[in-house]
Amino acid sequence: NAGEKLVVRDKVVALLGAFCSTSTAAMMEVAKKHKVPLITGISTAAQLTEQGNPYFFRAVATTPMLGNAFGAVLPGAVKAKRFAFLVLNDDWGRSMVASYPKSIERAGGQIVATEFFQQSDLQFLSQITKVKSSNPDAIVLAANTQQAVALSKQIRELGITVPLIGEGSWTSDSYLKLAGPASDGVYGLVEYVYTIHNPINDAFVKEFQAKLKENPTKFAGAAHNAINIVVDAIRRAGAADPEKIRAALEKTDYTGLVGNIKFDAKHQAYGQTVYLAHVKNGVPEVIETATIAKP
């Protein structure tokens, strides 16, 4: 409904969003129906770019891409062999358990448990107890801030001390402050983290901190990328015309916070850098990087 209003009532020439993959899937139909380009900077479920929607663009790596980039290095990076998955039961979480295990196993790791939780859950005793009984060396999680905080605290309260590795908000200020000591030692698998050092990000972080008095999250980084890619396309299109913007987006060659981004024939971004960050004393420091190859 919001997408329809933006296009029909406000006559927008491009859409940015949505937040989660399920919502983005719904927005894609609006973009296709009205022939308005839609770009997401955050939704990672792989199937979104497999639908042949000519008006949809994804400016972020998919979960399988992250899995391929980092799954093979996780056993060595966190010094673990036995991995358990504890993830949100949605397109994102299911995509993780369908993609990460393959590369982890190729690197000598073993998957010993897989548990799901629902979007409304904040108590995870049952799932954590099952994970604990599998005796993992590390736990891989998919969760956004509120659930990530609750998971971290409850896992540690149950005496589980193994490394936690998460996709989601595991490196954001909001998570780190709310989780407190439970965040120490957590690993974040992220498309952006504020501790990246390059001239573009250094300037972005400085301006962001000055204005908002906090560090930019992966979501802020995603928005920065998506907005600037659209602005770049509008400038190259030479007109605020949806079809011309769509055509310009296909020829994207944009360098920003996370390096160079282009789109393949399915409008999936590639060429950018992704990061494995380790939280120490509330600061997520990058310990591994990888480049997203062209699919």
Side-chain angles (χ1 to χ4, degrees):
N1 289 338
E4 287 278 353
K5 287 178 181 177
L6 287 169
V7 176
V8 176
R9 181 191 64 192
D10 299 325
K11 309 297 182 184
V12 300
V13 296
L15 294 163
L16 292 101
F19 182 76
C20 67
S21 295
T22 303
S23 298
T24 296
M27 286 284 288
M28 286 171 63
E29 295 306 311
V30 175
K32 186 177 181 180
K33 173 183 174 183
H34 295 286
K35 298 183 178 181
V36 172
L38 163 67
I39 182 168
T40 181
I42 204 67
S43 298
T44 59
Q47 65 268 30
L48 297 180
T49 39
E50 297 298 317
Q51 297 176 24
N53 187 329
Y55 292 90
F56 176 66
F57 295 79
R58 190 207 317 261
V60 65
T62 66
T63 290
M65 284 176 160
L66 276 176
N68 290 335
F70 283 128
V73 305
L74 285 181
V78 305
K79 298 178 175 58
K81 183 175 182 180
R82 296 169 57 85
F83 289 80
F85 281 76
L86 179 52
V87 299
L88 184 61
N89 187 19
D90 68 353
D91 291 342
W92 171 32
R94 290 189 295 271
S95 185
M96 281 191 74
V97 300
S99 55
Y100 274 83
K102 298 173 186 176
S103 51
I104 289 174
E105 289 168 348
R106 283 198 297 268
Q110 178 185 0
I111 310 305
V112 296
T114 300
E115 293 292 327
F116 294 93
F117 56 86
Q118 305 304 317
Q119 186 69 60
S120 58
D121 290 347
L122 283 175
Q123 295 297 324
F124 307 98
L125 177 62
S126 174
Q127 294 97 327
I128 296 171
T129 300
K130 290 176 182 177
V131 165
K132 184 177 182 180
S133 68
S134 70
N135 193 30
D137 300 325
I139 302 173
V140 182
L141 306 109
N144 289 314
T145 305
Q146 188 178 20
Q147 290 181 315
V149 171
L151 280 164
S152 302
K153 290 183 175 181
Q154 291 170 34
I155 287 169
R156 295 313 187 209
E157 286 168 0
L158 285 177
I160 302 172
T161 59
V162 302
L164 306 182
I165 309 159
E167 268 195 39
S169 57
W170 305 86
T171 59
S172 67
D173 276 8
S174 55
Y175 162 75
L176 296 171
K177 290 174 182 177
L178 291 170
S183 70
D184 201 51
V186 163
Y187 293 82
L189 293 155
V190 289
E191 305 88 344
Y192 170 83
V193 59
Y194 75 89
T195 52
I196 302 166
H197 289 297
N198 63 53
I200 297 174
N201 189 56
D202 289 345
F204 173 57
V205 171
K206 183 178 180 180
E207 291 182 25
F208 195 99
Q209 290 173 335
K211 186 169 185 177
L212 299 176
K213 312 304 180 188
E214 61 184 32
N215 296 309
T217 65
K218 62 170 273 184
F219 309 112
H224 187 284
N225 273 331
I227 291 168
N228 279 282
I229 287 170
V230 170
V231 170
D232 173 67
I234 292 172
R235 285 172 176 161
R236 288 185 290 105
D241 175 81
E243 196 58 49
K244 290 181 179 179
I245 296 168
R246 188 200 68 79
L249 281 169
E250 290 190 332
K251 298 177 182 178
T252 292
D253 188 353
Y254 167 76
T255 298
L257 303 178
V258 294
N260 184 257
I261 292 177
K262 297 178 181 178
F263 292 113
D264 70 3
K266 295 180 179 179
H267 298 171
Q268 169 59 53
Y270 68 93
Q272 71 273 32
T273 304
V274 289
Y275 307 88
L276 176 62
H278 187 211
V279 176
K280 291 183 178 180
N281 299 317
V283 179
E285 295 290 353
V286 175
I287 61 169
E288 295 277 357
T289 64
T291 300
I292 297 299
K294 186 176 182 178

